[in-house]
Amino acid sequence: MRSMTRQADAQNVDAVLDRAAGLGREFLAGLVERHVAPPVAVDSLRQALGGPLADAGEDPCVVVEALARGAGPGIVASAGPRYFGFVTGGVLPAALGADWLATAWDQNAWTYVASPAASVVEEVAGQWLIDLFGLPPTASVGFTTGATMANFAALAAARHAVLARVGYDVEEQGLAAAPEIALFAGEAAHATIVAAVQMLGLGRARVRRVAADDAGRMRPDRLREALAAGAGPAIVCAQAGEVNTGSFDPFDQIAALCRERGAWLHVDGAFGLWAAASPALRHLVRGVDAADSWTVDGHKWLNVPYDCGYVFVRDGASHRGAVTVDAPYYPQATAGRENSQFVAESSRRARGFATWAALRSLGRQDVADLVERCCALARRMADRLRAADRVDVLNDVVLNQVLVRFRSPVEDDDDFTREVIRRIQADGTCWLGGTIWRGRAAARISISNASTTEADVDLSAAAILACARAGRE
Ligand SMILES: Cc1ncc(COP(=O)(O)O)c(C=O)c1O
């Protein structure tokens, strides 16, 4: 075994941090110019990074160098300004610095005793988020890996609450003998709502999908009909920001219907709830504060590094009741917040530091500016694209999402749209993905990176249109 003195260890740490910082800087310096998703053969990555584990360890600097060299060709510039795939944010400098510190500190954020600082930071940043989104000030907050697990925790709280109201303890008794829960979600609800239902044992097939309009907004008239058909425990899942169109369900009407029926209302606002942080866009989420639980992502529009999502629940007791784990050796009655009482995890990364730093570095005004700027850039992109021949923008660009379809004089438009997407991805100026919207193939453009500029949009629009033209030739 390699023998190490504490001094040698310290020198190693200094050297490896310097080297990692240098490599990180080099990457970031080249991010804007990089091919956004360079083609890479999976076998070449396996070859560069694989092989049997050696008996003898290596010098940490050599290891970090080898990682950067081996992984480099497989690193996507998704943190860069022209990555429009999925819904992807970049990283604000303060969040990056804070996240590096979180790693250096290596705090376990699960309990106050393991990290009083991680506990207080989640308490403080959670309250800032509640304030920005205009949610009930006493709502509870959990810091999750992302919106998927935020939806999971929120629906666990919902399951707890609606069954507790009819005298059933689901955590104790399980679902086998539980009263049925009626579940409703919009036709265009995100796949992770269904995933949460699946993981909670509620049954994917039991979700009643409520018809949506052409923009993907749940139709309140249809929800009214669906809710009228039954009584008893019920959960309704609405959405702020449909993943293709960016549209918002009409929360004020939906909330009124849920109130009448005594149903729990959950809102998946993974990216769309950020509209609430902008005075200019807040009208899009009117009535959202009347819900019982909410999901938002940090790693999308707040531009904090992966991974980071948030779950908010009006009734903190239901939230805690659904996910809290206890054991005789777990700290009891500590002086501060127990972060683990709000997520389906125990030991975990102290992801609150990056959120705290991002929010503090932006302030209320720049959070609003970030959201509004991305929306203005999305409208600019849509204008550039729809001005061209045989290019259709399929959605009303209410937020940061643009749905585009390319037409060909000779080819089937679905095939042609997929071919144009393939060409854009290969071109490397920008990256966007495909989808099926209302039965037709389309390209999705999602703008959520704080560093994207008008010049990036113009450059990307020109590249997209050039790929469409080339496809027709
Ligand atoms: C509306 C919505 N909900 C949930 C998710 C899943 O988010 P995550 O990948 O952070 O778990 C997304 C991702 O785009 C989304 O748009």
Side-chain angles (χ1 to χ4, degrees):
M1 193 178 126
R2 189 185 296 253
S3 89
M4 284 282 179
T5 63
R6 197 176 295 200
Q7 197 186 3
D9 264 348
Q11 281 165 357
N12 262 336
V13 169
D14 272 354
V16 83
L17 283 185
D18 286 347
R19 193 61 202 119
L23 289 163
R25 271 197 210 99
E26 263 170 48
F27 171 76
L28 292 174
L31 188 58
V32 174
E33 302 308 326
R34 227 177 134 90
H35 188 298
V36 176
V40 60
V42 63
D43 282 344
S44 72
L45 283 176
R46 288 188 181 126
Q47 208 170 10
L49 296 163
L53 181 63
D55 286 338
E58 290 174 80
D59 176 86
C61 278
V62 171
V63 171
V64 164
E65 293 269 5
L67 176 65
R69 207 173 35 252
I75 299 291
V76 173
S78 48
R82 294 187 304 279
Y83 189 85
F84 306 126
F86 313 108
V87 185
T88 304
V91 184
L92 295 167
L96 177 59
D99 207 52
W100 280 15
L101 275 180
T103 304
W105 290 336
D106 191 23
Q107 297 293 279
N108 183 350
W110 78 288
T111 171
Y112 177 81
V113 171
S115 181
S119 163
V120 170
V121 152
E122 290 196 8
E123 184 179 285
V124 171
Q127 217 52 49
W128 288 345
L129 291 166
I130 283 175
D131 182 33
L132 279 175
F133 299 138
L135 302 182
T138 54
S140 52
V141 189
F143 283 62
T144 63
T145 48
T148 303
M149 288 314 290
N151 281 334
F152 177 87
L155 293 184
R159 185 181 69 165
H160 171 100
V162 299
L163 290 178
R165 280 180 210 152
V166 292
Y168 191 82
D169 182 342
V170 68
E171 285 75 32
E172 203 56 35
Q173 303 300 329
L175 280 172
E180 185 174 348
I181 300 175
L183 279 163
F184 304 89
E187 197 186 336
H190 195 265
T192 56
I193 286 290
V194 180
V197 165
Q198 159 193 331
M199 292 188 283
L200 287 162
L202 296 171
R204 286 193 308 222
R206 302 184 89 90
V207 180
R208 296 175 216 183
R209 304 306 285 252
V210 180
D213 67 13
D214 284 351
R217 291 174 294 223
M218 190 197 294
R219 284 179 49 181
D221 56 328
R222 292 300 180 84
L223 179 64
R224 179 190 297 280
E225 286 163 24
L227 287 175
I235 300 170
V236 174
C237 300
Q239 183 165 254
E242 200 282 329
V243 78
N244 295 294
T245 64
S247 70
F248 293 77
D249 287 347
F251 303 114
D252 39 6
Q253 296 174 63
I254 291 173
L257 293 170
C258 290
R259 228 179 355 260
E260 272 169 35
R261 169 70 161 74
W264 178 287
L265 174 57
H266 171 63
V267 175
D268 178 357
F271 62 98
L273 204 59
W274 286 100
S278 147
L281 296 166
R282 197 166 289 151
H283 63 97
L284 294 168
V285 296
R286 199 172 46 243
V288 82
D289 55 327
D292 296 292
S293 56
W294 303 261
T295 283
V296 192
D297 256 326
H299 56 217
K300 292 187 167 71
W301 225 337
L302 185 57
N303 284 245
V304 297
Y306 290 100
D307 49 29
C308 185
Y310 319 108
V311 54
F312 303 90
V313 180
R314 176 186 296 277
D315 171 22
S318 293
H319 194 175
R320 281 193 297 272
V323 295
T324 299
V325 179
D326 206 0
Y329 76 96
Y330 281 16
Q332 306 290 326
T334 59
R337 167 192 155 93
E338 288 300 304
N339 290 337
S340 61
Q341 293 182 347
F342 308 99
V343 294
E345 278 174 289
S346 295
S347 298
R348 67 172 174 83
R349 180 170 184 75
R351 56 180 75 93
F353 291 126
T355 292
W356 185 92
L359 291 174
R360 193 158 162 170
S361 78
L362 291 172
R364 195 182 292 276
Q365 260 177 21
D366 279 358
V367 171
D369 181 64
L370 164 61
V371 175
E372 289 163 19
R373 203 155 23 90
C374 289
C375 295
L377 291 172
R379 291 193 298 273
R380 185 182 183 96
M381 177 71 90
D383 289 345
R384 296 278 178 283
L385 297 179
R386 73 159 70 85
D389 269 354
R390 298 201 174 96
V391 179
D392 298 329
V393 171
L394 301 183
N395 65 321
D396 182 13
V397 183
V398 292
L399 200 68
N400 61 338
Q401 305 292 123
V402 185
L403 263 189
V404 205
R405 183 165 163 89
F406 303 95
R407 279 181 284 121
S408 155
V410 285
E411 224 179 308
D412 171 76
D413 290 344
D414 282 344
D415 291 343
F416 182 65
T417 296
R418 290 192 193 99
E419 171 58 17
V420 175
I421 293 170
R422 196 196 59 72
R423 284 171 182 265
I424 293 163
Q425 292 176 351
D427 167 74
T429 305
C430 66
W431 201 94
L432 46 75
T435 189
I436 304 279
W437 179 244
R438 305 245 135 197
R440 294 186 297 168
R444 288 182 64 252
I445 297 170
S446 178
I447 304 186
S448 356
N449 190 306
S451 69
T452 306
T453 62
E454 290 186 347
D456 287 311
V457 166
D458 294 350
L459 185 67
S460 302
I464 292 168
L465 294 175
C467 288
R469 273 194 308 275
R472 288 189 197 102
E473 281 162 13

